[in-house]
Amino acid sequence: MIDIEFLESLVRLLDDSSLDNLEIRRGGTRVRLSKSPGGSATVEAQGAPATPNHAAPAAPAAAPAPEAGGPAAEASSSGLVDITSPMVGTFYRAPSPEAAPYVEVGGNVATGDVLCVIEAMKLMNELECETAGRIVEICAENAEPVDYGQVLFRVAPA
């Protein structure tokens, strides 16, 4: 688990500097913060799920982010890869109510493609695909709450 005081000190460091982005690796954890509105803030820890956050320019924030093989992408006995929620929040299939969903059942995805957004504490966290393949099932309903570890997508690996 990442130390909140450490994260807060990184946010203060970034705010007080002329830097726009900051990335630090420590042990099995990677922390990346950005001041830019289009930038993202992420934390990747060994065994934690992957999730970029879009942070406000003056207040970057961080959220758990997965590494390959972490709980965000686990192979099931059927050969499908389960993509699970890296956090508790609200699941959204599209970036906005008017926009088309990121993915559809039957659609092909590549590693790094955005699958959905999970809103947690007013931060919109994009969940990226860790396995190239085809979306077989979308297991969560749009605009509904999801729990940590809940299966969101099932992907047939390419």
Side-chain angles (χ1 to χ4, degrees), residues 61-154:
E67 289 192 8
E74 297 177 1
S76 67
S77 59
S78 64
L80 300 178
V81 176
D82 291 341
I83 307 295
T84 60
S85 179
M87 65 188 70
V88 174
T90 304
F91 172 86
Y92 293 104
R93 292 190 57 207
S96 69
E98 310 81 37
Y102 288 109
V103 295
E104 295 286 355
V105 171
N108 291 323
V109 291
T111 302
D113 286 356
V114 176
L115 299 172
C116 67
V117 171
I118 299 174
E119 179 185 7
M121 297 177 57
K122 303 294 183 197
L123 292 174
M124 303 307 264
N125 304 285
E126 292 179 339
L127 179 63
E128 294 179 0
C129 190
E130 296 177 5
T131 305
R134 183 178 48 82
I135 301 290
V136 174
E137 184 179 2
I138 299 173
C139 305
E141 294 296 321
N142 191 49
E144 291 295 319
V146 294
D147 291 323
Y148 172 80
Q150 179 179 337
V151 176
L152 303 177
F153 301 91
R154 288 202 167 91

Side-chain angles (χ1 to χ4, degrees), residues 5-17 33:
E5 290 177 10
F6 173 67
L7 286 176
E8 289 173 345
S9 68
L10 291 177
V11 170
R12 281 192 300 275
L13 176 70
L14 184 62
D15 281 343
D16 295 342
S17 74
L33 302 171

